[in-house]
Every structure is written in structure tokens, then in C-alpha cells.
Amino acid sequence: MLLLRQTQHQLTLFLRRPAAVFFVVAMPLIMFLVFVILFGNELIPETEITTAQFYAPALAVFGAVMACYTYLAISTATSRDQGVLKRIRGTPLKPAIYIWARILAVTVIAIAAALLVMVVGNLFFGVAFYPEKLPMALISLFLGCLSFAGLGMMVCAFCQTSDTVQAVTSATVLPLAFLSDVFIRPFRDVPVWVTWIADTFPLKHFSLAFGHAFRSDMGGSGFVWAGGEETYTALPRLAIMLAWGVAGAFIAAKLFKWDPKGEI
Amino acid sequence: MTPIRIQNLTKNYAGKPAVAGVSFEVQAGETYALLGPNGAGKTTTIEILEGYRRRDGGEVSVLGADPGVQGNGLRERIGIVLQTTALEPELTVEETVTNFRSFYPNPHSVGEVLELVDLGFASATRVKALSGGQQRRLEIGLGLIGNPDLVFLDEPTTGLDPDARRNIWNLVLELNAMGKTILLSSHYMDEVEALAHRLAVLVDGKIKAEGSPQSLRDQHGAYTEVRFYLGERPLPESFPPALRKIIHTERGWVIFEVPNPTPFLADLTNWSFKEQFELPHLSVTQPSLEEIYLNPTRGRRGAARNSKQAEI
């Protein structure tokens, strides 16, 4: 009960921050529209998918990352700057409930932001859904939210103030989004180092574990560990992404301070 | 049971002592104040009692429990008002109190608390639209919502205008009348005199004096300051040597600190009258407790005074 109440509390706070609502919910949708209009909603060369079919899931993932990584880290650091975290620790509310409520709240926001892009894509730009792949798409989205929340808490724990958190989240997400099949459509002859970097970090794995569920040219339901280029294989990608998330959460739990000037 | 009992508390920051052997007890229903300048160890002491910081040495008991070990059981029974404001500006007053209310097993009602802190009229107002004094009252409300036995108020009026200070004072007096035990910290003697039954003067992590405001005045305020202004001029040759010995000068002021002002003033004014020497801005004052303990220059002079007094 307390957990749900606190989650609702965090959602209320989010809805009263117009800038946050804009960046997390509206931005991915606007970028989706811009990309589709800019490139035209035709088949991407040498693939069987349209511009919208690629960009809808990619920007849904981007929205989820904005919510679970960027917004979670910045808003938590802001609460810490405000002394709210310290004050909460002086009440009988269990710290774990408070943190999980923040994570649940951003997960709800992430799913809303992702759904918005997908539904607009489906209704207005012919983005197709494939029922046999949808369960894995939802699992990927949910696990991606938790993994990036773990990383968001890690960034928050590393940095002293919300200003630093803002800089670090932007400096990590934006460059990676260009390399990780989020902002840029797949094209031929990608330099090998780009692939290496992108394969090391979790964003590409998130965008493809989710995005490949919306590809007509990929078979299966995603619940496989290996397969050719024609197979939807989400499990290895989810494993790498989760490893990042768990590591982030572990470091966050070790380093996180409720009061940077104090001892808790 | 004694709500707060501290024995020989010590706490160091990077090897430097912030609290160096502090002992005191706060009785049930009492308002006890820690008075001292910034860096005296007030907040450190309070935060150890609240469970925010660990002590390096000594014994501490809060409502019978050790705040360094005890977690939620103790937090349910104490109310906290931190030194700096810690509120979520986007929420309304009522939402803020309702949220905190959900953390406690036997809370007051939101309406009761808002009435007590006189914010009923603002229940639908966003926190960011409140004045500094109103925000402080809201924080006191949050400290009370859990129906605590013991309330910590860390500098509740610092930075507020005189009107807002008065409002907070009345509120603290009301809390005390409700039977709450209160530990208060403050820079201001007038505040402590208005609110506290007893106080400890904390300087450099040590208690310099403890007692009721009146008893401290009686013990330590037992000298009078006489001063007049000379500017750049020297004292005339004829100035009585006995008085000259106990002079202290400060930026053109000639200052005497004397235990018994009547014979001293007789000598001084007698000389002045005889020599036709004017004593510009002559004044005779009783120093406040603040001046005795909290003004560092006075502290040094006060120490020197003891040796000079013998000469009068």
C-alpha cells in the first residue's frame, strides 16, 4: 500500500514538472514525427521495413530511457539537493520502499511514453504489430526500464549535485543514441569500431531487443539465445542489458547517499 | 523515563573535534535549548540524536533507545525539523502533510496539524508560493504529524523576519503546552529566553554553561560594562591610576568591566567633574548572555577580566 501511495506521489510530482513531461513524453513523439516526415515513410533501402516501422520502436525505447535513466537520475538528485531525501530518512518510511516507488513511477512513465509513440505510429503511419513477438517486446521494455533505472541510480550516486547528473546523463545517452540504432536508421558499411562501442553498451541491446519485435523480416517469438540474421533473438541482448543494470544497481546501493554532506 | 540523555558525547570530522565531551539531560515536557554560534556543534549533536550521524564516543539515549542502532521504532516517536528547508515545491500544503502522515502509525489528522501551524487557509497553496515563515511552519507541521513525544527543532527561526519569528515562538510554546518535549537550537539569546526552560551554551563543541536563562544571567552576567568615547585623543595625565589599570580600549572606545559599578562610577565621574573632562557617549550596560558567550572577542576579554578585577 505504502509502495503504491509513494509511486502515485512520484507520478504527481512528475506531472507537475512541465519540462520533464515535455522531454520524456513529448520529445520522443516529436522526434518520431520529424524523422518520418524528413525521410519520408517509405521502405528503408535494402530492408523490408518502412521508416516509421523502424523509428517507432526506436524512439519508444528512447522515451523509456529518458524516463528511467535521465529523469530518474535528475529528479532523485534534485530531491537530494532539496534535502527531501534526508528528511525522508528521518521518518519511519522504509528507504527501500521510497526508492522502489521512484523506480516504479518512472517505469509507468516510460511505458506511457513508449506506448504513445507506438500507438501514433500504428494509427497514422502504418506501424505493424506482430502478436507472436509482442510478449517478448513487453518483457524487453519492462526489463529495459529496470536496467536503465539501475544505471540512473548509479549516476545519481556517483554525482554530488543534480547539475552534474544532468550533464552526465546527456553526455552518455545522446552520443550512444546515435550509435545504437535509435536516432539513425541502419545503413551499410558501418565502421567496425562503431559496432564495437555500440555492442558494449546497453542502449543498442535495449533498442534491438525491443525493435526487432516489430520486424516482419525476422521470425520467431524472440525467446531464443541464438539464431541467424532472420531470427528475432532477444535473450542474449537482454542478458547483456541486465548485466549492466544489475551492476549499476549494485554500485548505486553501495555508494548512494541520502545526504551528501552527512553520513547516510 | 528521561527523553534525552547524553553522556560525554564526542564526534570528530577529519580528526577535528566537532563535539568534545558534551553531557546533558532533557526532562519530559521540557523545552531545552542549545545556544551557540555556527560551528559550535549544535547541529552535529542534534543529528546524532536524530540518527543521521554516528557518534565517536559517549553514551546517547533518546526515548530509551540508542539512535545509532535503533531505526524505525524510534523514528515513529520523534519529530524532526532540519536546519535547512526540505520541501517539494510542486506539492500543495495539504498534499505535503498527507504524504508524511502516511508514514506514521498513530498520526494526527491533517486538519488538526494545519490548524496548529496556522496554515489551514493555505491548504491548497503550492509550497513554492509560501513565504519563508510559512514554509518553516509547514516543516514544523511535518515534524508533528506523527504525534511524536519528542520534537527536534534545529534553528527554526534562522533567516526569518521578526514577525515570522514571533509566530514560530508562539507555535513552540503551544507545542510545549501540549506536553511535547522539545530540543531546540538557536543563535539567539532572546529566542532561548522566550522558549526554553533550560539551556546549554555550546562553544567549540563544549558546554560552557548550563541552567535556566535566569540562573545563567545571575551566574555569569554579574559585571557591568562602562564605556565612553575618546577617539584619537589620549587620556589626560590626571586620570586616576587605579582606574587606568583596568582599561580596555577598542576603536577609540575606553571600556571598563567592573563587578560593582557604583563606586567605580563615583570615582570616574568625580574625576571628570573635577578636571572638567567630558566623557562623550558615556554608557553603563549589563551585557547579555549572548555577548558573554557568543562574541569571541568578548570571550577573550572576559577571560582577561578575571585577573584585572582583583586590582580594583
Side-chain angles (χ1 to χ4, degrees):
Chain A
M1 257 338 277
L2 258 181
L3 178 65
L4 290 182
R5 223 198 149 91
Q6 284 307 299
T7 306
Q8 194 197 348
H9 177 78
Q10 292 301 331
L11 288 171
T12 306
L13 284 172
F14 172 74
L15 291 174
R16 293 198 187 157
R17 294 168 177 156
V21 174
F22 177 79
F23 277 106
V24 174
V25 181
M27 266 283 272
L29 181 65
I30 292 171
M31 291 177 80
F32 170 69
L33 298 174
V34 166
F35 284 137
V36 173
I37 291 162
L38 209 64
F39 292 119
N41 194 14
E42 52 211 26
L43 284 184
I44 299 173
E46 300 182 43
T47 68
E48 295 167 30
I49 57 165
T50 61
T51 306
Q53 188 76 27
F54 169 77
Y55 274 120
L59 289 163
V61 163
F62 182 67
V65 170
M66 287 297 278
C68 292
Y69 178 71
T70 306
Y71 175 70
L72 176 66
I74 294 176
S75 67
T76 306
T78 302
S79 294
R80 191 175 55 188
D81 292 352
Q82 288 169 336
V84 169
L85 296 191
K86 177 179 181 179
R87 183 65 188 86
I88 287 287
R89 277 304 294 272
T91 73
L93 180 66
K94 289 193 173 59
I97 291 185
Y98 183 76
I99 296 294
W100 272 110
R102 291 193 89 111
I103 293 171
L104 270 183
V106 293
T107 303
V108 170
I109 297 164
I111 290 171
L115 263 181
L116 181 66
V117 177
M118 295 308 296
V119 168
V120 168
N122 177 260
L123 292 180
F124 302 104
F125 300 96
V127 173
F129 294 176
Y130 305 102
E132 77 278 10
K133 300 193 190 98
L134 273 185
M136 186 44 110
L138 290 175
I139 290 172
S140 300
L141 183 61
F142 184 68
L143 293 181
C145 286
L146 293 185
S147 299
F148 277 83
L151 293 168
M153 290 307 292
M154 181 186 78
V155 170
C156 184
F158 267 130
C159 302
Q160 291 276 320
T161 66
S162 58
D163 290 343
T164 343
V165 170
Q166 200 141 13
V168 170
T169 49
S170 305
T172 44
V173 168
L174 295 180
L176 273 183
F178 283 98
L179 308 182
S180 303
D181 288 16
V182 175
F183 288 165
I184 312 276
R185 302 185 299 180
F187 57 100
R188 286 176 51 151
D189 303 330
V190 180
V192 96
W193 60 269
V194 168
T195 316
W196 281 352
I197 291 176
D199 283 340
T200 306
F201 291 101
L203 183 56
K204 182 178 179 183
H205 298 295
F206 187 12
S207 77
L208 293 188
F210 183 72
H212 285 174
F214 300 91
R215 298 277 295 256
S216 55
D217 53 347
M218 289 192 162
S221 61
F223 288 89
V224 285
W225 281 98
E229 285 199 358
E230 315 277 277
T231 319
Y232 175 28
T233 43
L235 293 183
R237 298 197 180 279
L238 294 185
I240 295 172
M241 183 182 74
L242 274 175
W244 273 92
V246 169
F250 182 77
I251 294 171
K254 286 275 168 210
L255 293 184
F256 189 75
K257 294 195 97 178
W258 297 71
D259 173 19
K261 288 181 229 123
E263 297 171 32
I264 48 153
Chain B
M1 183 193 50
T2 315
I4 296 179
R5 178 177 284 149
I6 299 184
Q7 260 172 3
N8 221 358
L9 177 68
T10 57
K11 172 76 185 175
N12 300 316
Y13 293 136
K16 283 191 176 171
V19 178
V22 163
S23 306
F24 64 86
E25 284 186 7
V26 181
Q27 305 300 329
E30 186 177 36
T31 301
Y32 190 94
L34 297 176
L35 177 68
N38 283 333
K42 303 187 300 292
T43 296
T44 302
T45 303
I46 290 178
E47 290 197 348
I48 288 170
L49 295 173
E50 291 167 338
Y52 282 122
R53 292 178 187 278
R54 303 198 172 281
R55 62 184 184 274
D56 290 336
E59 297 295 315
V60 175
S61 147
V62 177
L63 300 173
D66 180 344
V69 182
Q70 182 77 13
N72 283 349
L74 181 57
R75 290 196 194 101
E76 286 170 0
R77 299 171 58 207
I78 62 173
I80 292 176
V81 176
L82 296 172
Q83 191 174 2
T84 46
T85 307
L87 294 167
E88 289 169 312
E90 297 91 347
L91 294 181
T92 68
V93 167
E94 190 178 358
E95 286 166 338
T96 305
V97 181
T98 306
N99 184 41
F100 269 72
R101 187 176 188 274
S102 68
F103 306 154
Y104 294 91
N106 301 304
H108 286 297
S109 79
V110 173
E112 258 176 297
V113 165
L114 287 186
E115 194 182 333
L116 187 68
V117 300
D118 197 20
L119 285 174
F121 69 94
S123 62
T125 307
R126 295 278 172 94
V127 168
K128 63 183 155 200
L130 297 179
S131 70
Q134 288 168 339
Q135 290 192 352
R136 218 56 187 136
R137 295 213 303 273
L138 175 57
E139 294 201 299
I140 295 179
L142 298 182
L144 293 176
I145 188 72
N147 193 11
D149 301 322
L150 171 63
V151 182
F152 295 97
L153 302 173
D154 194 356
E155 296 188 13
T157 67
T158 298
L160 299 184
D161 65 48
D163 224 32
R165 279 184 83 201
R166 290 278 163 189
N167 284 334
I168 303 255
W169 287 9
N170 290 335
L171 180 52
V172 175
L173 291 172
E174 237 174 297
L175 296 191
N176 184 252
M178 288 164 68
K180 309 281 184 203
T181 306
I182 299 168
L183 180 62
L184 170 85
S185 78
S186 179
H187 289 297
Y188 311 113
M189 187 61 210
D190 59 338
E191 180 162 299
V192 169
E193 286 197 291
L195 302 179
H197 299 102
R198 289 190 305 138
L199 72 130
V201 179
L202 209 56
V203 179
D204 295 333
K206 294 196 186 85
I207 292 185
K208 284 282 170 80
E210 191 195 18
S212 68
Q214 190 52 52
S215 78
L216 287 193
R217 218 177 255 297
D218 292 348
Q219 275 172 51
H220 301 274
Y223 73 91
T224 303
E225 182 190 273
V226 179
R227 58 161 70 201
F228 59 86
Y229 190 75
L230 260 190
E232 299 294 306
R233 291 179 295 157
L235 265 182
E237 287 292 312
S238 61
F239 194 75
L243 302 188
R244 193 185 284 269
K245 275 186 200 163
I246 55 169
I247 283 177
H248 174 94
T249 55
E250 197 177 280
R251 280 170 292 158
W253 286 94
V254 177
I255 304 166
F256 308 86
E257 285 163 1
V258 291
N260 187 359
T262 317
F264 172 86
L265 282 170
D267 289 351
L268 181 68
T269 50
N270 191 28
W271 167 81
S272 146
F273 189 69
K274 216 167 60 190
E275 297 289 322
Q276 295 288 302
F277 187 86
E278 212 190 323
L279 299 172
H281 306 294
L282 176 68
S283 73
V284 180
T285 49
Q286 275 263 299
S288 69
L289 279 183
E290 231 158 340
E291 283 183 281
I292 298 168
Y293 294 107
L294 305 187
N295 181 339
T297 60
R298 172 71 71 152
R300 281 197 294 279
R301 222 193 307 155
R305 173 168 46 85
N306 294 332
S307 57
K308 285 172 185 161
Q309 274 172 0
E311 297 170 19
I312 298 182

